[in-house]
Protein backbone atom coordinates (compact mmCIF):
# COMPACT_ATOMS: atom_id res chain seq x y z
CA UNK A 1 0.00 0.00 0.00
CA UNK A 2 3.05 2.25 -0.15
CA UNK A 3 1.88 3.94 -3.36
CA UNK A 4 -1.39 5.05 -1.79
CA UNK A 5 0.34 6.73 1.10
CA UNK A 6 2.75 8.48 -1.23
CA UNK A 7 0.22 9.64 -3.80
CA UNK A 8 -2.51 10.60 -1.35
CA UNK A 9 -0.58 13.79 -0.67
CA UNK A 10 1.54 14.11 -3.76
CA UNK A 11 -0.97 13.77 -6.59
CA UNK A 12 -3.32 16.59 -5.51
CA UNK A 13 -0.38 18.86 -4.76
CA UNK A 14 1.07 18.31 -8.20
CA UNK A 15 -2.26 19.29 -9.72
CA UNK A 16 -2.91 22.45 -7.70
CA UNK A 17 -0.74 25.51 -7.27
CA UNK A 18 0.56 26.95 -4.01
CA UNK A 19 -0.37 30.39 -5.24
CA UNK A 20 -3.27 31.64 -7.40
CA UNK A 21 -5.79 29.24 -8.93
CA UNK A 22 -5.83 25.98 -6.99
CA UNK A 23 -7.86 23.97 -9.52
CA UNK A 24 -6.12 23.23 -12.83
CA UNK A 25 -6.57 25.96 -15.44
CA UNK A 26 -8.34 25.12 -18.70
CA UNK A 27 -6.69 26.51 -21.83
CA UNK A 28 -9.13 25.76 -24.65
CA UNK A 29 -7.29 27.70 -27.38
CA UNK A 30 -6.61 25.75 -30.58
CA UNK A 31 -3.80 28.09 -31.67
CA UNK A 32 -0.96 29.77 -29.76
CA UNK A 33 0.77 32.97 -30.86
CA UNK A 34 4.60 33.21 -30.90
CA UNK A 35 6.49 36.31 -29.76
CA UNK A 36 8.68 36.40 -32.86
CA UNK A 37 9.64 34.36 -35.91
CA UNK A 38 12.72 33.25 -34.01
CA UNK A 39 10.55 31.92 -31.19
CA UNK A 40 8.30 30.17 -33.74
CA UNK A 41 11.38 28.44 -35.15
CA UNK A 42 12.53 27.41 -31.66
CA UNK A 43 9.10 25.92 -30.85
CA UNK A 44 8.95 23.97 -34.10
CA UNK A 45 12.50 22.64 -33.63
CA UNK A 46 11.69 21.49 -30.10
CA UNK A 47 14.22 23.86 -28.47
CA UNK A 48 11.34 25.66 -26.75
CA UNK A 49 8.57 23.67 -25.05
CA UNK A 50 5.96 26.43 -25.41
CA UNK A 51 2.69 25.30 -27.06
CA UNK A 52 2.81 24.99 -30.86
CA UNK A 53 -0.78 24.23 -31.88
CA UNK A 54 -3.36 22.23 -29.88
CA UNK A 55 -3.16 19.18 -32.17
CA UNK A 56 0.42 18.77 -30.82
CA UNK A 57 -0.68 19.32 -27.20
CA UNK A 58 -2.14 22.05 -24.96
CA UNK A 59 -1.15 23.38 -21.49
CA UNK A 60 -3.98 21.62 -19.61
CA UNK A 61 -3.06 18.30 -21.20
CA UNK A 62 0.61 18.99 -20.43
CA UNK A 63 -0.25 19.29 -16.75
CA UNK A 64 -2.05 15.95 -16.86
CA UNK A 65 0.96 14.42 -18.64
CA UNK A 66 3.29 15.60 -15.86
CA UNK A 67 1.15 14.03 -13.14
CA UNK A 68 0.70 10.73 -15.01
CA UNK A 69 4.43 10.44 -15.73
CA UNK A 70 5.17 11.02 -12.04
CA UNK A 71 2.54 8.49 -10.97
CA UNK A 72 4.00 5.83 -13.26
CA UNK A 73 7.68 6.57 -12.67
CA UNK A 74 8.06 7.45 -16.36
CA UNK A 75 10.13 9.96 -18.30
CA UNK A 76 7.05 11.59 -19.82
CA UNK A 77 3.56 11.04 -21.18
CA UNK A 78 1.32 11.97 -24.11
CA UNK A 79 -2.43 12.29 -23.53
CA UNK A 80 -4.94 11.41 -26.24
CA UNK A 81 -8.64 11.73 -27.10
CA UNK A 82 -9.47 8.17 -25.90
CA UNK A 83 -7.91 4.92 -24.74
CA UNK A 84 -8.21 3.45 -28.25
CA UNK A 85 -6.45 6.58 -29.56
CA UNK A 86 -3.56 5.88 -27.17
CA UNK A 87 -3.20 2.30 -28.46
CA UNK A 88 -3.48 3.45 -32.09
CA UNK A 89 -0.84 6.12 -31.46
CA UNK A 90 1.68 3.60 -30.08
CA UNK A 91 1.11 1.15 -32.95
CA UNK A 92 1.31 3.74 -35.72
CA UNK A 93 4.30 5.56 -34.17
CA UNK A 94 6.53 2.52 -33.72
CA UNK A 95 5.37 0.03 -36.39
CA UNK A 96 5.63 -0.11 -40.17
CA UNK A 97 3.69 -2.11 -42.73
CA UNK A 98 5.01 -5.68 -42.58
CA UNK A 99 5.57 -5.66 -38.81
CA UNK A 100 4.04 -8.15 -36.42
CA UNK A 101 2.77 -7.42 -32.92
CA UNK A 102 2.52 -10.23 -30.38
CA UNK A 103 -0.69 -9.91 -28.34
CA UNK A 104 -0.48 -11.86 -25.09
CA UNK A 105 -3.59 -12.97 -23.19
CA UNK A 106 -7.21 -11.88 -23.57
CA UNK A 107 -8.16 -8.38 -24.71
CA UNK A 108 -10.75 -5.68 -24.36
CA UNK A 109 -13.11 -5.91 -27.39
CA UNK A 110 -11.88 -2.69 -29.04
CA UNK A 111 -8.23 -3.70 -28.80
CA UNK A 112 -8.99 -7.18 -30.11
CA UNK A 113 -10.83 -5.77 -33.13
CA UNK A 114 -8.04 -3.24 -33.76
CA UNK A 115 -5.35 -5.95 -33.79
CA UNK A 116 -7.43 -8.61 -35.49
CA UNK A 117 -9.25 -6.61 -38.20
CA UNK A 118 -8.12 -3.02 -38.55
CA UNK A 119 -4.31 -2.95 -38.24
CA UNK A 120 -3.98 -5.92 -40.68
CA UNK A 121 -5.63 -3.69 -43.32
CA UNK A 122 -2.55 -1.49 -43.03
CA UNK A 123 -0.07 -4.36 -43.06
CA UNK A 124 0.49 -4.66 -39.29
CA UNK A 125 -0.37 -8.16 -38.14
CA UNK A 126 -1.52 -9.12 -34.64
CA UNK A 127 -0.36 -12.57 -33.47
CA UNK A 128 -2.24 -13.87 -30.44
CA UNK A 129 -0.93 -16.19 -27.78
CA UNK A 130 -2.09 -17.46 -24.41
CA UNK A 131 -1.08 -15.58 -21.28
CA UNK A 132 1.39 -18.22 -20.05
CA UNK A 133 2.54 -19.73 -23.34
CA UNK A 134 6.16 -18.63 -22.93
CA UNK A 135 7.39 -21.14 -25.50
CA UNK A 136 5.18 -19.60 -28.20
CA UNK A 137 6.17 -16.09 -27.05
CA UNK A 138 9.86 -16.88 -27.39
CA UNK A 139 9.39 -18.49 -30.80
CA UNK A 140 7.48 -15.47 -32.12
CA UNK A 141 10.00 -13.03 -30.62
CA UNK A 142 12.87 -14.95 -32.19
CA UNK A 143 11.19 -14.47 -35.57
CA UNK A 144 11.63 -10.70 -35.16
CA UNK A 145 8.49 -9.28 -33.60
CA UNK A 146 8.86 -5.57 -32.84
CA UNK A 147 6.25 -5.13 -30.13
CA UNK A 148 4.49 -7.17 -27.45
CA UNK A 149 1.13 -5.99 -26.13
CA UNK A 150 -0.73 -7.20 -23.05
CA UNK A 151 -3.29 -6.03 -20.49
CA UNK A 152 -2.35 -5.93 -16.79
CA UNK A 153 -5.58 -7.85 -16.13
CA UNK A 154 -7.57 -9.47 -18.93
CA UNK A 155 -10.91 -7.71 -19.48
CA UNK A 156 -13.24 -9.60 -19.07
CA UNK A 157 -11.39 -12.94 -18.77
CA UNK A 158 -9.52 -11.86 -15.58
CA UNK A 159 -6.31 -13.64 -16.51
CA UNK A 160 -3.19 -12.22 -14.87
CA UNK A 161 0.10 -11.89 -16.77
CA UNK A 162 3.56 -12.44 -15.31
CA UNK A 163 4.70 -8.97 -16.39
CA UNK A 164 8.32 -9.32 -15.22
CA UNK A 165 8.82 -12.58 -17.08
CA UNK A 166 7.36 -11.21 -20.33
CA UNK A 167 9.52 -8.07 -19.90
CA UNK A 168 12.68 -10.20 -19.64
CA UNK A 169 11.81 -11.98 -22.89
CA UNK A 170 11.23 -8.61 -24.61
CA UNK A 171 14.59 -7.40 -23.30
CA UNK A 172 16.38 -10.44 -24.70
CA UNK A 173 14.87 -10.02 -28.19
CA UNK A 174 14.83 -6.20 -28.34
CA UNK A 175 11.05 -5.96 -28.58
CA UNK A 176 9.06 -3.07 -27.15
CA UNK A 177 6.82 -4.18 -24.29
CA UNK A 178 3.54 -2.26 -24.05
CA UNK A 179 1.13 -2.81 -21.13
CA UNK A 180 -2.47 -1.57 -21.08
CA UNK A 181 -2.77 -0.72 -17.37
CA UNK A 182 -6.30 0.73 -17.56
CA UNK A 183 -7.69 -1.51 -14.81
CA UNK A 184 -4.81 -1.23 -12.35
CA UNK A 185 -3.44 2.33 -11.95
CA UNK A 186 -1.23 2.62 -8.82
CA UNK A 187 -1.52 -1.08 -7.96
CA UNK A 188 0.53 -2.29 -10.93
CA UNK A 189 3.46 -0.17 -12.13
CA UNK A 190 4.54 -1.76 -15.41
CA UNK A 191 7.47 0.60 -16.16
CA UNK A 192 9.09 -0.47 -12.88
CA UNK A 193 8.62 -4.11 -13.93
CA UNK A 194 10.40 -3.73 -17.27
CA UNK A 195 7.71 -2.44 -19.64
CA UNK A 196 8.69 0.30 -22.13
CA UNK A 197 5.31 1.98 -22.54
CA UNK A 198 2.13 2.04 -20.46
CA UNK A 199 -1.30 2.73 -21.95
CA UNK A 200 -4.40 4.01 -20.16
CA UNK A 201 -7.96 4.59 -21.05
CA UNK A 202 -8.26 7.47 -18.55
CA UNK A 203 -12.02 7.32 -19.24
CA UNK A 204 -12.24 4.54 -16.67
CA UNK A 205 -10.68 4.46 -13.20
CA UNK A 206 -8.45 7.52 -13.53
CA UNK A 207 -11.57 9.68 -14.05
CA UNK A 208 -14.01 7.54 -12.05
CA UNK A 209 -16.85 9.94 -12.84
CA UNK A 210 -17.68 8.89 -16.45
CA UNK A 211 -17.59 12.57 -17.46
CA UNK A 212 -14.61 12.57 -19.85
CA UNK A 213 -13.28 10.31 -22.60
CA UNK A 214 -9.49 10.18 -22.72
CA UNK A 215 -6.31 8.15 -22.99
CA UNK A 216 -2.62 8.36 -22.20
CA UNK A 217 0.72 6.79 -23.06
CA UNK A 218 3.48 6.98 -20.45
CA UNK A 219 7.00 6.01 -21.48
CA UNK A 220 10.39 5.21 -19.91
CA UNK A 221 13.52 7.20 -20.62
CA UNK A 222 15.59 6.45 -23.72
CA UNK A 223 19.16 5.47 -22.76
CA UNK A 224 22.24 6.69 -24.59
CA UNK A 225 23.66 3.16 -24.85
CA UNK A 226 22.37 -0.41 -24.43
CA UNK A 227 19.03 0.79 -25.70
CA UNK A 228 16.78 -1.74 -27.45
CA UNK A 229 15.44 1.01 -29.71
CA UNK A 230 18.93 1.21 -31.27
CA UNK A 231 18.37 -2.27 -32.73
CA UNK A 232 18.34 -2.31 -36.54
CA UNK A 233 14.63 -3.20 -36.62
CA UNK A 234 13.83 0.25 -35.22
CA UNK A 235 15.93 2.06 -37.84
CA UNK A 236 12.93 4.15 -38.98
CA UNK A 237 13.00 6.05 -35.67
CA UNK A 238 16.78 6.24 -35.11
CA UNK A 239 16.98 9.88 -36.24
CA UNK A 240 14.46 10.86 -33.54
CA UNK A 241 16.46 9.16 -30.75
CA UNK A 242 18.86 12.12 -30.91
CA UNK A 243 16.22 14.01 -28.92
CA UNK A 244 17.63 12.37 -25.78
CA UNK A 245 15.93 10.75 -22.76
CA UNK A 246 12.45 12.04 -23.73
CA UNK A 247 12.76 10.95 -27.39
CA UNK A 248 9.69 8.71 -27.18
CA UNK A 249 7.48 11.82 -27.01
CA UNK A 250 8.93 12.93 -30.35
CA UNK A 251 8.34 9.46 -31.82
CA UNK A 252 4.70 9.42 -30.62
CA UNK A 253 3.92 12.98 -31.69
CA UNK A 254 5.87 13.33 -34.93
CA UNK A 255 5.12 9.88 -36.31
CA UNK A 256 1.51 9.63 -35.25
CA UNK A 257 -0.30 12.43 -33.40
CA UNK A 258 0.81 15.17 -35.79
CA UNK A 259 -0.58 13.26 -38.78
CA UNK A 260 -3.53 11.33 -37.31
CA UNK A 261 -4.69 13.98 -34.81
CA UNK A 262 -5.81 11.82 -31.87
CA UNK A 263 -5.11 14.76 -29.53
CA UNK A 264 -6.76 15.29 -26.13
CA UNK A 265 -8.93 18.36 -25.60
CA UNK A 266 -8.33 20.73 -22.67
CA UNK A 267 -11.71 20.30 -21.02
CA UNK A 268 -11.41 16.49 -20.94
CA UNK A 269 -7.90 16.83 -19.46
CA UNK A 270 -9.27 19.19 -16.79
CA UNK A 271 -12.00 16.70 -15.81
CA UNK A 272 -9.43 13.89 -15.79
CA UNK A 273 -7.20 15.91 -13.43
CA UNK A 274 -10.17 16.29 -11.06
CA UNK A 275 -10.61 12.51 -11.05
CA UNK A 276 -6.91 11.93 -10.38
CA UNK A 277 -7.11 13.94 -7.15
CA UNK A 278 -9.05 11.11 -5.47
CA UNK A 279 -7.56 8.15 -7.34
CA UNK A 280 -5.55 6.73 -4.40
CA UNK A 281 -8.56 6.76 -2.05
CA UNK A 282 -10.91 5.27 -4.64
CA UNK A 283 -8.43 2.60 -5.70
CA UNK A 284 -7.99 1.35 -2.16
CA UNK A 285 -11.75 1.24 -1.51
CA UNK A 286 -12.61 -0.49 -4.82
CA UNK A 287 -9.93 -3.16 -4.55
CA UNK A 288 -11.00 -4.03 -1.02
CA UNK A 289 -14.66 -4.04 -2.11
CA UNK A 290 -14.10 -6.45 -5.02
CA UNK A 291 -12.60 -9.15 -2.79
CA UNK A 292 -15.40 -8.81 -0.25
CA UNK A 293 -18.16 -8.93 -2.87
CA UNK A 294 -16.55 -11.91 -4.67
CA UNK A 295 -16.40 -13.82 -1.40
CA UNK A 296 -20.04 -13.08 -0.50
CA UNK A 297 -21.31 -14.02 -3.99
CA UNK A 298 -19.25 -17.23 -3.96
CA UNK A 299 -20.64 -18.16 -0.53
CA UNK A 300 -24.17 -17.59 -1.86
CA UNK A 301 -23.54 -20.15 -4.61
CA UNK A 302 -23.18 -17.81 -7.62
CA UNK A 303 -20.70 -18.81 -10.34
CA UNK A 304 -18.40 -15.87 -9.69
CA UNK A 305 -14.91 -15.51 -11.15
CA UNK A 306 -12.18 -13.43 -9.49
CA UNK A 307 -8.47 -14.18 -8.86
CA UNK A 308 -8.91 -13.65 -5.08
CA UNK A 309 -11.02 -16.84 -4.99
CA UNK A 310 -9.27 -20.21 -4.71
CA UNK A 311 -11.42 -21.43 -7.61
CA UNK A 312 -9.54 -19.09 -10.01
CA UNK A 313 -6.72 -20.88 -11.86
CA UNK A 314 -4.27 -18.06 -11.08
CA UNK A 315 -5.12 -17.59 -7.43
CA UNK A 316 -1.49 -18.25 -6.37
CA UNK A 317 -0.13 -15.68 -8.82
CA UNK A 318 -2.70 -13.20 -7.54
CA UNK A 319 -1.48 -13.72 -3.97
CA UNK A 320 2.17 -13.48 -4.99
CA UNK A 321 2.16 -10.63 -7.54
CA UNK A 322 -1.01 -8.58 -7.03
CA UNK A 323 -0.75 -7.65 -3.37
CA UNK A 324 -3.02 -4.62 -3.73
CA UNK A 325 -5.64 -6.31 -5.92
CA UNK A 326 -6.26 -6.42 -9.67
CA UNK A 327 -8.88 -3.76 -10.30
CA UNK A 328 -12.67 -3.39 -10.19
CA UNK A 329 -13.85 -6.33 -12.33
CA UNK A 330 -15.40 -9.65 -11.49
CA UNK A 331 -17.62 -11.81 -13.68
CA UNK A 332 -20.65 -13.99 -13.00
CA UNK A 333 -21.62 -16.82 -15.32
CA UNK A 334 -25.42 -17.03 -15.42
CA UNK A 335 -25.19 -19.93 -17.96
CA UNK A 336 -27.76 -18.60 -20.48
CA UNK A 337 -28.37 -15.20 -22.03
CA UNK A 338 -31.96 -15.26 -20.75
CA UNK A 339 -30.89 -15.78 -17.13
CA UNK A 340 -28.20 -13.11 -17.51
CA UNK A 341 -30.79 -10.63 -18.80
CA UNK A 342 -33.27 -11.30 -15.99
CA UNK A 343 -30.47 -11.03 -13.40
CA UNK A 344 -29.34 -7.66 -14.77
CA UNK A 345 -32.89 -6.36 -15.13
CA UNK A 346 -33.76 -7.40 -11.56
CA UNK A 347 -30.83 -5.57 -9.95
CA UNK A 348 -31.78 -2.26 -8.36
CA UNK A 349 -28.18 -1.17 -7.78
CA UNK A 350 -26.39 -1.84 -11.08
CA UNK A 351 -26.05 0.75 -13.82
CA UNK A 352 -26.11 -1.15 -17.13
CA UNK A 353 -23.41 0.37 -19.31
CA UNK A 354 -20.38 -0.53 -21.46
CA UNK A 355 -18.04 1.38 -19.14
CA UNK A 356 -15.83 0.01 -16.33
CA UNK A 357 -14.01 1.59 -13.39
CA UNK A 358 -16.77 4.04 -12.49
CA UNK A 359 -17.45 5.16 -8.92
CA UNK A 360 -20.83 3.42 -9.27
CA UNK A 361 -21.17 -0.34 -9.65
CA UNK A 362 -21.81 -1.26 -13.29
CA UNK A 363 -22.97 -4.43 -15.04
CA UNK A 364 -23.33 -5.72 -18.62
CA UNK A 365 -24.02 -8.94 -20.48
CA UNK A 366 -20.97 -9.51 -22.69
CA UNK A 367 -22.02 -11.74 -25.62
CA UNK A 368 -25.01 -9.58 -26.68
CA UNK A 369 -23.14 -6.25 -26.51
CA UNK A 370 -19.37 -5.62 -26.78
CA UNK A 371 -18.66 -9.10 -28.18
CA UNK A 372 -21.72 -9.44 -30.44
CA UNK A 373 -19.75 -8.96 -33.68
CA UNK A 374 -17.46 -11.92 -32.92
CA UNK A 375 -18.33 -15.54 -33.68
CA UNK A 376 -18.66 -18.09 -30.91
CA UNK A 377 -15.15 -19.53 -31.30
CA UNK A 378 -13.62 -16.05 -30.97
CA UNK A 379 -15.81 -15.27 -27.98
CA UNK A 380 -14.76 -18.44 -26.18
CA UNK A 381 -11.10 -17.64 -26.92
CA UNK A 382 -11.66 -14.31 -25.15
CA UNK A 383 -13.40 -16.05 -22.23
CA UNK A 384 -16.88 -14.79 -23.13
CA UNK A 385 -19.45 -17.55 -22.49
CA UNK A 386 -23.16 -17.26 -23.34
CA UNK A 387 -24.30 -16.21 -19.86
CA UNK A 388 -21.28 -14.11 -18.86
CA UNK A 389 -22.04 -10.90 -16.97
CA UNK A 390 -19.25 -8.42 -16.22
CA UNK A 391 -19.52 -6.43 -13.00
CA UNK A 392 -17.36 -3.39 -12.29
CA UNK A 393 -17.41 -2.78 -8.55
CA UNK A 394 -17.81 0.79 -7.29
CA UNK A 395 -17.52 2.67 -4.02
CA UNK A 396 -20.81 1.53 -2.43
CA UNK A 397 -20.90 -0.68 0.66
CA UNK A 398 -19.72 -4.18 -0.34
CA UNK A 399 -22.53 -5.74 1.69
CA UNK A 400 -25.15 -3.64 -0.12
CA UNK A 401 -23.67 -4.61 -3.51
CA UNK A 402 -23.56 -8.31 -2.67
CA UNK A 403 -27.10 -8.32 -1.22
CA UNK A 404 -28.49 -6.65 -4.34
CA UNK A 405 -26.71 -9.06 -6.70
CA UNK A 406 -27.72 -12.15 -4.72
CA UNK A 407 -31.36 -11.00 -4.63
CA UNK A 408 -31.25 -10.28 -8.39
CA UNK A 409 -29.81 -13.74 -9.10
CA UNK A 410 -32.63 -15.37 -7.12
CA UNK A 411 -35.37 -13.27 -8.72
C1 LIG B 1 -12.07 0.94 -22.25
C2 LIG B 1 -10.77 0.31 -22.50
C3 LIG B 1 -9.98 0.71 -23.59
C4 LIG B 1 -10.44 1.77 -24.59
O1 LIG B 1 -10.58 3.01 -23.99
P1 LIG B 1 -11.57 4.18 -24.56
O2 LIG B 1 -11.25 5.33 -23.68
O3 LIG B 1 -12.96 3.66 -24.40
O4 LIG B 1 -11.21 4.39 -25.98
C5 LIG B 1 -8.75 0.11 -23.76
N1 LIG B 1 -8.31 -0.85 -22.91
C6 LIG B 1 -9.05 -1.28 -21.85
C7 LIG B 1 -8.49 -2.32 -20.94
C8 LIG B 1 -10.31 -0.71 -21.61
O5 LIG B 1 -11.03 -1.14 -20.57
Amino acid sequence: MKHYEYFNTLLPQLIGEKEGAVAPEITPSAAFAYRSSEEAEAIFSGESSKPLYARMGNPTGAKLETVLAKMEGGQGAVVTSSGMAAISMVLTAFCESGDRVLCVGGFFGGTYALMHETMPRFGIEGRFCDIDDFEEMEKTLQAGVKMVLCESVGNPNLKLPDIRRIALLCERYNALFVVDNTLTPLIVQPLKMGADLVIYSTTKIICGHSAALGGAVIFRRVESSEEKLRDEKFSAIHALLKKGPGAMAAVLKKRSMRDFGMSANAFASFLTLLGLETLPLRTKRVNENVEKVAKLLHAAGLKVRHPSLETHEQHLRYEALFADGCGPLLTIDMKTQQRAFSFLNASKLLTLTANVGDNRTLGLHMASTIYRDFDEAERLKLGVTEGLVRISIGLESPVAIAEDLIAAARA
Side-chain angles (χ1 to χ4, degrees):
M1 296 289 169
K2 266 192 228 119
H3 303 316
Y4 300 132
E5 295 312 322
Y6 176 59
F7 285 111
N8 266 326
T9 60
L10 192 71
L11 272 183
Q13 289 191 47
L14 271 171
I15 296 164
E17 299 290 349
K18 294 291 193 192
E19 195 185 330
V22 173
E25 281 164 12
I26 310 171
T27 308
S29 189
F32 298 88
Y34 321 121
R35 187 180 305 140
S36 62
S37 301
E38 286 75 14
E39 187 181 70
E41 186 180 28
I43 290 169
F44 273 75
S45 75
E47 255 170 73
S48 165
S49 59
K50 283 189 177 175
L52 186 153
Y53 178 71
R55 182 162 22 84
M56 297 297 273
N58 73 74
T60 314
K63 186 122 209 174
L64 176 58
E65 287 164 351
T66 308
V67 181
L68 289 173
K70 192 93 183 168
M71 176 179 104
E72 214 59 50
Q75 175 72 25
V78 178
V79 291
T80 57
S81 55
S82 71
M84 288 317 300
I87 301 174
S88 308
M89 180 171 69
V90 167
L91 290 166
T92 51
F94 286 97
C95 298
E96 327 291 321
S97 172
D99 281 345
R100 272 162 303 155
V101 175
L102 176 61
C103 307
V104 177
F107 284 90
F108 164 72
T111 310
Y112 180 75
L114 178 71
M115 295 314 306
H116 189 69
E117 290 169 26
T118 304
M119 293 315 295
R121 291 200 281 117
F122 301 95
I124 298 168
E125 186 202 343
R127 284 274 179 95
F128 291 82
C129 100
D130 202 51
I131 201 128
D132 275 340
D133 194 347
F134 293 100
E135 210 171 297
E136 178 67 23
M137 276 180 231
E138 184 142 16
K139 227 165 51 191
T140 316
L141 281 163
Q142 251 162 2
V145 158
K146 210 183 233 181
M147 185 180 285
V148 175
L149 180 65
C150 89
E151 294 183 357
S152 61
V153 183
N155 167 10
N157 73 11
L158 293 171
K159 287 190 180 176
L160 306 174
D162 188 337
I163 292 177
R164 281 181 207 276
R165 189 160 167 198
I166 302 172
L168 284 175
L169 274 178
C170 292
E171 204 55 50
R172 186 174 317 149
Y173 294 101
N174 287 343
L176 277 178
F177 185 26
V178 183
V179 178
D180 181 338
N181 204 39
T182 296
L183 293 173
T184 49
L186 296 183
I187 54 181
V188 176
Q189 296 200 295
L191 293 184
K192 294 184 181 165
M193 301 163 91
D196 301 289
L197 297 127
V198 172
I199 287 173
Y200 281 107
S201 163
T202 58
T203 318
K204 316 287 171 56
I205 300 169
I206 289 187
C207 275
H209 44 49
S210 288
L213 190 72
V217 175
I218 300 117
F219 50 84
R220 65 161 173 84
R221 76 181 258 132
V222 170
E223 305 296 341
S224 48
S225 62
E226 300 217 13
E227 166 58 61
K228 64 169 88 157
L229 287 172
R230 297 188 194 282
D231 186 301
E232 201 44 45
K233 67 183 158 200
F234 293 106
S235 59
I237 61 165
H238 280 177
L240 286 167
L241 296 186
K242 293 193 186 76
K243 300 263 178 198
M248 288 219 214
V251 174
L252 293 167
K253 287 194 174 183
K254 294 205 173 205
R255 283 176 44 96
S256 181
M257 183 171 270
R258 183 191 68 195
D259 304 345
F260 290 104
M262 62 280 277
S263 333
N265 76 74
F267 190 58
S269 295
F270 164 75
L271 290 170
T272 307
L273 281 163
L274 295 189
L276 261 179
E277 290 197 28
T278 55
L279 178 67
L281 291 171
R282 293 186 285 109
T283 302
K284 189 166 191 288
R285 168 81 176 179
V286 164
N287 283 281
E288 286 169 4
N289 268 5
V290 182
E291 288 196 9
K292 288 178 190 160
V293 174
K295 210 177 199 169
L296 289 167
L297 297 184
H298 182 68
L302 271 73
K303 213 172 158 215
V304 55
R305 180 169 157 80
H306 188 267
S308 65
L309 299 172
E310 277 170 27
T311 47
H312 190 284
E313 72 276 15
Q314 291 177 314
H315 176 63
L316 293 179
R317 179 172 294 171
Y318 179 77
E319 302 250 285
L321 302 182
F322 291 76
D324 293 342
C326 66
L329 301 187
L330 58 81
T331 58
I332 303 171
D333 193 346
M334 297 301 295
K335 293 206 174 70
T336 65
Q337 170 163 330
Q338 196 192 352
R339 290 188 57 197
F341 276 26
S342 50
F343 163 69
L344 287 166
N345 293 343
S347 165
K348 293 189 175 66
L349 185 136
L350 290 175
T351 300
L352 307 192
T353 173
N355 196 13
V356 295
D358 192 282
N359 296 335
R360 307 151 193 78
T361 296
L362 316 174
L364 194 67
H365 177 246
M366 293 285 97
S368 62
T369 59
I370 296 175
Y371 294 90
R372 66 173 298 113
D373 291 339
F374 304 140
D375 62 35
E376 200 179 330
E378 273 178 319
R379 281 208 288 262
L380 289 178
K381 202 166 73 185
L382 296 168
V384 178
T385 50
E386 187 199 327
L388 194 78
V389 170
R390 182 181 71 190
I391 306 285
S392 175
I393 298 292
L395 302 177
E396 303 89 345
S397 140
V399 174
I401 299 170
E403 279 176 355
D404 174 82
L405 297 181
I406 291 165
R410 287 180 182 153

